[in-house]
Amino acid sequence: MPRAALPGTALPRTASARPAPGRTRPTTRRPVSQALIVPPELRIADGAGASVFRAAAHRGPVPRDTIAEITGLSVATVNRQVSALIAAGLLRERPDLVEPGAVGRPRVPVEADHERYLTIGIHIGAVTTGIVASDIRGRIIGAVGIPTPNGDQSIALSSITASARAFSSRWHRRTPLWAGVALGGRVDSVTGIVDHVRLGWKGAPVGAVIGGGLGLPVSVAAHVESMAAAELLLAPDRDAAEATGTSLYFYARETTGIAITFDGKVHTPAGGPGSVSHLPTGSSAACPCGGTGCLEATVSDQAVVQRARAAGLFDASDATRRAPTIQALYKVAHDGSRPARELLVERAEVLGRTVAMLRDLFNPDRVVLGGQAFTEYPAGVPHVAQAFARASTLPRKDVRISGFGNRVQAHAAGAVSLASLYADPLGAVRRART
């Protein structure tokens, strides 16, 4: 999936949620008490099975000898892995696509059997929770959004799980393999337990409740790390060089965050991801921490909308005036309001300066920007780029907008649900069937 260089973005298309013919789903579900929580491997795995599966999933239909060229494995090794992956229902042969005159089985193309399985990804945001179904190629085949429940964390998690279970039942002819959850806060991927200040969650058993409720193995990860993983795992047409070196992923919407990748692996600190929420920006915005000018209190959707409302930028006759949204502010700016445009430009410039500071601090090979703060108001992107260029003291490098566009949260959740499959496809299927 391509990524657009600054300025501009590229938005992926989503396939319709259509059941595949001829497949049946098992009726057995794992009880809550036996929820299987597996830390996600947010990396490009180099095992033989993973390499062969990834080549077939991203480039198929593709002959075995071509897979050998792509992966550097011997044809004999590729043949063994392909046979095992076919037996597991992950790959299928396409003899109908053999080139005329081709001789021998290595020329029979194989591809991911993308109609047999699905995974369920859940992104729990501060305001909205998205639930997606992905096929094993990483393509989203359906998605739904619900308001993130407020109040007691147990009730909220049960409500999210019930919505995910109802959503997954639409694909009654596909077999669900895995569930993945991406969310902010402090995430313990080993236990699936999360502390989320914005939601008021403390020691929330996210993995146990969702995995047990869905009857699937489950992986839980911090959402910005998950977005960085999506860039590695679900963007097959990226430059080969991006599997090496370092990348800085910066996210901004209702929350802000960063993640770093090293040589095709997302850095996942044992104590949870770091925070940039309270980086100083020089603004006068009041922060719940008691300070002023903190990054999140300056650039989050909610913060920008509050300033717009205080400035009287919403029409008194507009139904959104009592509960305005960032989309309403974008519309006001598009309709010609100079103060609205100035407010959004101010946010863009703060974002550009912040990214420049982080880039100069870490000096990564690449910088990827994700989140609706960048993608929902394209007119602000040039101001991000200009502020970045003015503030950075290092030579210009690769800075771009994520190609996942406004669906970055959905693909992040999908990446977590697919991470174990991409790291060890045969092992993941065995776990899912246990």
Side-chain angles (χ1 to χ4, degrees):
M1 191 169 294
R3 294 185 299 188
L6 285 175
T9 62
L11 303 181
R13 293 183 177 181
T14 302
S16 60
R18 183 172 61 248
R23 306 295 185 189
T24 58
R25 165 183 289 188
T27 58
T28 57
R29 294 282 184 174
R30 181 178 290 106
V32 172
S33 60
Q34 296 179 19
L36 177 60
I37 301 168
V38 181
E41 297 191 47
L42 306 181
R43 63 186 179 94
I44 298 176
D46 55 6
S51 298
V52 170
F53 175 73
R54 187 168 60 248
H58 288 168
R59 304 187 185 221
V62 59
R64 292 167 172 80
D65 54 355
T66 302
I67 294 177
E69 294 174 6
I70 294 169
T71 61
L73 299 170
S74 69
V75 173
T77 298
V78 170
N79 280 333
R80 286 194 299 271
Q81 295 299 328
V82 166
S83 296
L85 291 166
I86 289 174
L90 294 173
L91 298 186
R92 63 187 178 189
E93 292 185 316
R94 293 295 305 273
D96 55 308
L97 298 179
V98 175
E99 296 179 5
V103 178
R105 206 170 172 196
R107 299 303 304 167
V108 177
V110 295
E111 66 180 2
D113 190 349
H114 57 85
E115 297 175 318
R116 182 186 297 265
Y117 297 117
L118 63 77
T119 63
I120 298 296
I122 303 170
H123 178 268
I124 302 176
V127 176
T128 302
T129 291
I131 306 170
V132 300
S134 301
D135 68 22
I136 61 174
R137 299 171 300 180
R139 299 181 186 181
I140 294 175
I141 57 177
V144 66
I146 61 172
T148 299
N150 296 319
D152 181 83
Q153 63 191 39
S154 298
I155 296 174
L157 283 171
S158 296
S159 176
I160 292 170
T161 303
S163 296
R165 187 165 54 243
F167 174 74
S168 67
S169 67
R170 300 179 185 181
W171 286 272
H172 60 281
R173 292 184 179 179
R174 289 178 182 255
T175 300
L177 280 179
W178 214 275
V181 186
L183 72 169
R186 292 285 177 177
V187 178
D188 185 334
S189 292
V190 175
T191 63
I193 292 176
V194 177
D195 295 335
H196 198 305
V197 175
R198 289 289 297 273
L199 296 179
W201 292 2
K202 183 69 174 177
V206 173
V209 173
I210 293 179
L214 294 178
L216 296 173
V218 63
S219 298
V220 185
H223 69 156
V224 183
E225 293 175 359
S226 305
M227 295 171 195
E231 298 290 330
L232 293 174
L233 301 178
L234 305 183
D237 51 359
R238 67 186 182 279
D239 294 336
E242 294 196 30
T244 62
T246 56
S247 297
L248 171 68
Y249 191 98
F250 182 93
Y251 171 80
R253 187 188 189 184
E254 195 58 59
T255 60
T256 57
I258 63 170
I260 300 175
T261 66
F262 298 95
D263 292 333
K265 181 178 181 180
V266 180
H267 177 52
T268 52
S275 174
V276 297
S277 300
H278 300 285
L279 286 179
T281 65
S283 78
S284 59
C287 180
C289 74
T292 57
C294 296
L295 178 63
E296 204 164 281
T298 302
V299 303
S300 73
D301 286 357
Q302 182 180 3
V304 174
V305 168
Q306 287 176 347
R307 290 201 297 278
R309 187 176 184 182
L313 299 183
F314 298 104
D315 190 336
S317 63
D318 195 325
T320 64
R321 188 173 185 272
R322 292 187 178 182
T325 63
I326 193 69
Q327 287 76 19
L329 178 59
Y330 294 146
K331 183 178 186 303
V332 171
H334 283 304
D335 289 345
S337 169
R338 181 174 177 179
R341 290 199 302 269
E342 290 176 345
L343 181 58
L344 292 170
V345 167
E346 178 185 358
R347 176 173 73 165
E349 291 177 341
V350 170
L351 288 169
R353 291 195 299 270
T354 302
V355 174
M357 177 184 66
L358 294 168
R359 185 273 186 128
D360 286 6
L361 175 64
F362 294 107
N363 194 19
D365 298 307
R366 293 164 295 276
V367 177
V368 182
L369 308 179
Q372 282 77 353
F374 299 106
T375 58
E376 283 202 352
Y377 188 63
V381 174
H383 298 281
V384 174
Q386 292 163 14
F388 174 90
R390 290 193 300 266
S392 179
T393 61
L394 297 178
R396 183 177 179 84
K397 285 189 177 179
D398 183 6
V399 182
R400 63 186 70 177
I401 303 290
S402 168
F404 294 122
N406 287 353
R407 308 208 67 193
V408 64
Q409 294 90 352
H411 286 282
V416 180
S417 71
L418 289 161
S420 291
L421 181 67
Y422 277 49
D424 180 9
L426 296 176
V429 170
R430 284 194 297 268
R431 281 179 162 179
R433 288 176 174 173
T434 302

